[in-house]
């Protein structure tokens, strides 16, 4: 017998090998946290394995990879190094071992540890879009480092709408300008949708000083004429017109581009007005400074 079918050799002669109750509960909890599917479930499906592992017709290194995963799971029952010993004795290719290690940590929600394996340069990216989506959903507003690190380390082709939206939301929390640049790399339809999503994020998901800062960054972005039209339509006619401060933002954008002669009078009229943390006088001053630094000439009449 080889190191796939020899049960005693694989499981070190343990006749009664089973998952401890606490481990089974932990796995069920992790599966729920991962929206009903572990990454080992994805791996089984990708390899087309429905029968017992040892009876499947998959290549040996595929079956060995899954057995290695099981041995890692059963480390409480078997000796601690049993999985490592099996990988070594079965000559499991290192790339397969690295992948399984990464997925195993991912299934335990230890994402940072998982990425130390899954971003290994020698590894062919496996389930990159699913991994990115999961990292995005488990990130927080104050810590978007893991999805961003993975995206910049591994080539990810985003074709899923839910992954695109989840990652774009992460970009919005990280940097308004970076999210804007990301949207510009997409086709016109997606670009338009993402720009509207960016504007909605600034208005609907930001408060106080943070909203003020993001609004300044938004209205000083280097919009093209087409993007300018989308912005004006979204904030003037579509859903965005209901956001508090939408009209002010359009006026401030006009000020930033020097298009309206009456902007100065408007700013004097509303100098002390504050809307959801947006203070007209402060924003006017900041935008004027930013615009002047960028060489934008203002044509104002007093």
């Amino acid at each position: 017998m080889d190191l796939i079918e020899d049960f005693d050799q694989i499981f070190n002669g343990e006749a009664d090998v089973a998952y401890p109750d606490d481990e089974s509960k932990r796995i069920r909890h992790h599966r729920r946290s991962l929206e009903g599917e572990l990454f080992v479930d994805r791996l089984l499906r990708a390899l087309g394995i429905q029968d017992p592992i040892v009876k499947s017709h998959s290549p040996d290194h595929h079956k060995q990879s899954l057995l290695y995963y099981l041995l890692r799971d059963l480390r409480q029952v078997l000796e601690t190094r049993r999985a490592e010993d099996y990988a070594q004795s079965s000559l499991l290719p290192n790339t397969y071992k690295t992948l399984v290690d990464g997925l195993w940590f991912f299934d335990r929600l230890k994402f940072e540890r998982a990425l130390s394996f899954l971003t290994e340069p020698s590894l062919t990216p496996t389930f990159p879009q699913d991994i990115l989506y999961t990292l995005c959903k488990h990130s927080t507003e104050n810590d978007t480092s893991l999805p961003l690190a993975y995206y910049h380390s591994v080539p990810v082709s985003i074709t899923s709408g839910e992954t695109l939206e989840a990652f774009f939301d992460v970009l919005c929390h990280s940097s308004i300008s970076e999210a804007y640049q990301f949207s510009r790399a997409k086709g016109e339809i997606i670009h338009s949708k993402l720009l509207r999503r960016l504007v909605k994020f600034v208005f609907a998901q930001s408060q106080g000083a943070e909203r003020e800062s993001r609004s300044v960054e938004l209205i000083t972005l280097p919009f093209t004429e087409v993007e300018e039209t989308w912005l004006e339509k979204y904030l003037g006619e579509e859903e965005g017109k209901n956001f508090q401060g939408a009209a002010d933002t359009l006026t401030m954008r006009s000020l930033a581009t020097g298009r309206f002669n009456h902007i100065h009078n408007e700013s004097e009229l509303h100098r002390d007005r504050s809307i959801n943390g947006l203070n007209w006088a402060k924003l006017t001053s900041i935008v004027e400074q930013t615009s002047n630094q960028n060489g934008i000439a203002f044509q104002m009449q007093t």
Side-chain angles (χ1 to χ4, degrees), residues 77 115 122 137 164 189 203 209 211 231 244 289 302:
V77 177
L115 291 193
S122 64
K137 300 304 288 186
L164 178 64
I189 294 176
F203 280 94
R211 185 173 186 271
L231 178 69
Q244 285 189 322
Q289 292 174 16
T302 59

Side-chain angles (χ1 to χ4, degrees), residues 10-282:
I10 293 172
F11 294 100
N12 202 30
E14 294 285 344
D16 186 21
V17 178
Y19 280 85
D21 288 342
D22 60 339
E23 184 68 12
S24 296
K25 291 178 181 177
R26 193 159 33 244
I27 290 172
R28 287 194 294 272
H29 168 71
H30 292 159
R31 181 176 273 114
R32 287 192 298 271
S33 297
L34 294 172
E35 301 187 3
E37 189 173 45
L38 296 172
F39 277 81
V40 71
D41 299 328
R42 292 175 169 86
L43 187 59
L44 284 165
R45 186 173 65 250
L47 298 178
I49 296 179
Q50 298 178 337
D51 301 321
I53 295 172
V54 298
K55 300 298 183 183
S56 74
H57 297 291
S58 292
D60 285 353
H61 52 275
H62 289 173
K63 292 186 280 189
Q64 290 166 344
S65 297
L66 292 166
L67 289 170
Y68 172 65
Y69 184 103
L70 288 177
L71 289 169
R72 293 213 63 163
D73 262 0
L74 295 167
R75 66 200 183 284
Q76 289 180 273
V77 177
L78 306 171
E79 57 187 74
T80 306
R81 283 193 50 82
R82 185 64 199 135
E84 294 291 333
D85 291 342
Y86 176 76
Q88 184 175 1
S89 60
S90 65
L91 303 180
L92 180 64
N94 192 57
T95 52
Y96 285 85
K97 181 179 180 295
T98 300
L99 172 63
V100 172
D101 284 334
L103 296 182
W104 188 84
F105 279 112
F106 219 91
D107 283 344
R108 272 139 197 81
L109 311 184
K110 297 180 180 179
F111 301 125
E112 186 170 0
R113 187 76 178 93
L115 291 193
S116 68
F117 294 98
L118 297 175
T119 56
E120 169 62 40
S122 64
L123 194 65
T124 300
T126 304
F127 313 126
Q129 192 167 205
D130 292 335
I131 289 171
L132 180 62
Y133 173 78
T134 302
L135 291 172
C136 290
K137 300 304 288 186
H138 285 265
S139 66
T140 65
E141 293 183 10
N142 298 321
D143 187 3
T144 58
S145 59
L146 291 183
L148 291 175
Y150 184 74
Y151 179 80
H152 291 301
S153 300
V154 176
V156 184
S157 176
I158 302 178
T159 58
S160 160
E162 66 176 6
T163 302
L164 178 64
E165 290 181 355
F167 182 62
F168 190 72
D169 289 347
V170 163
L171 285 175
C172 289
H173 280 105
S174 176
S175 166
I176 297 298
S177 58
E178 187 175 352
Y180 168 67
Q181 293 299 335
F182 177 85
S183 74
R184 297 187 75 178
K186 304 301 177 184
E188 183 175 341
I189 294 176
I190 296 178
H191 179 190
S192 173
K193 289 181 178 179
L194 292 181
L195 184 62
R196 285 168 166 80
R197 193 176 185 88
L198 174 61
V199 176
K200 183 175 182 178
F201 169 81
V202 170
F203 280 94
Q205 299 185 39
S206 307
Q207 299 294 329
E210 188 174 54
R211 185 173 186 271
E212 181 179 313
S213 174
R214 287 171 174 169
S215 297
V216 169
E217 191 172 2
L218 175 69
I219 62 180
T220 56
L221 289 173
F223 290 136
T224 64
E225 289 186 10
V226 173
E227 292 170 336
E228 201 83 53
T229 300
W230 292 341
L231 178 69
E232 291 175 357
K233 187 174 182 181
Y234 182 65
L235 290 179
E237 304 174 22
E238 300 175 352
E239 175 191 20
K241 70 180 182 180
N242 297 316
F243 296 143
Q244 285 189 322
D248 289 303
T249 296
L250 289 177
T251 305
M252 290 298 295
R253 178 64 191 174
S254 297
L255 178 127
T257 55
R259 288 183 298 157
F260 292 166
N261 289 331
H262 69 280
I263 293 298
H264 183 71
N265 291 333
E266 282 289 313
S267 66
E268 289 299 319
L269 178 64
H270 301 296
R271 177 163 296 277
D272 297 323
R273 186 155 61 98
S274 179
I275 300 177
N276 285 357
L278 287 171
N279 182 277
W280 186 280
K282 183 175 181 179

